[in-house]
Amino acid sequence: MEVGRGAAVLELGCGKGDRLAALAALGVRPVGVDISAVQVAAAATRWGSTVEVHQADALHFLSHTSDYYDAVYSAFGAHWFTDPDVLLPAIRERLRPGGTLVLAHLPPGDRIEPDEPTVVRSTLAMVLRWEGEAHQWASLLRHHGFVAPSACAILPPHGARTERTVVLRSRVPARPPRTAQGTTTPAT
């Protein structure tokens, strides 16, 4: 994410707040939300007033906050467990024009349907998880008004027994610039 000092950044599924604390050290205003009261309490204990954390469902938080963010991200978090046709519009509503969305997750399992933008997979605990290939997520992002989706894979350290991490990035279009007469001109 390319955000500068003073930028407001929201993490959906912040866990114990480690990524938020790293952002705070860079002068960013970090805000996190996690559904787990245990994780939120751990973040508050560990990082104190350095980070702002809320215990809530991501959709509930997004629909009840009046704040806008320069960037929103979810690293192995809310976007895996929330219907993207509901979550993506809610995120878009809270991003400032030109704001960035970053999603990070593992590659999809072996049950991907090639024609579906995302796939719901239930685990033994009957938790629904939305999975998809990068091109499927990119299509879904464009469908919900995000622009310039891109993806990359980050390989695990040599010898690690983990899979690569897929990172998707997109943004909300910037508002068209205003002319001297107050009318808008098409963005280029």
Side-chain angles (χ1 to χ4, degrees):
M1 286 181 297
E2 294 140 9
V3 294
R5 295 185 70 75
V9 177
L10 174 64
E11 181 178 10
L12 301 175
C14 66
K16 294 178 182 172
D18 295 345
R19 289 178 296 270
L20 295 173
L23 287 171
L26 298 173
V28 171
R29 184 175 75 85
V31 178
V33 62
D34 202 290
I35 198 165
S36 168
V38 172
Q39 295 283 55
V40 169
T45 298
R46 186 169 186 177
W47 303 111
S49 62
T50 305
V51 300
E52 178 184 332
V53 291
H54 302 269
Q55 192 271 316
D57 171 83
L59 283 173
H60 179 83
F61 180 83
L62 289 165
S63 65
H64 287 86
T65 186
S66 59
D67 291 340
Y68 289 91
Y69 299 93
D70 300 292
V72 173
Y73 69 98
S74 175
F76 309 100
H79 74 285
W80 256 4
F81 304 107
T82 308
D83 182 346
D85 285 326
V86 179
L87 182 63
L88 292 176
I91 292 171
R92 192 175 188 285
E93 285 294 315
R94 303 305 344 146
L95 273 168
R96 288 191 175 104
T100 301
L101 171 62
V102 176
L103 307 174
H105 58 263
L106 297 174
D110 58 1
R111 296 178 0 179
I112 287 297
E113 303 290 331
D115 297 329
E116 296 295 322
T118 57
V119 173
V120 180
R121 182 177 83 178
S122 60
T123 64
L124 293 176
M126 296 307 291
V127 174
L128 298 179
R129 187 166 92 185
W130 278 258
E131 293 187 343
E133 296 287 350
H135 72 277
Q136 294 167 317
W137 279 100
S139 176
L140 195 57
L141 286 163
R142 282 190 295 273
H143 175 75
H144 289 290
F146 290 87
V147 297
S150 64
C152 69
I154 299 172
L155 299 175
H158 181 69
R161 293 184 176 189
T162 59
E163 296 186 52
R164 71 188 193 279
T165 299
V166 177
V167 179
L168 296 135
R169 181 178 174 196
S170 193
R171 61 183 171 78
V172 171
R175 289 188 183 126
R178 294 201 169 270
T179 65
Q181 292 81 21
T183 60
T184 59
T185 58
T188 55

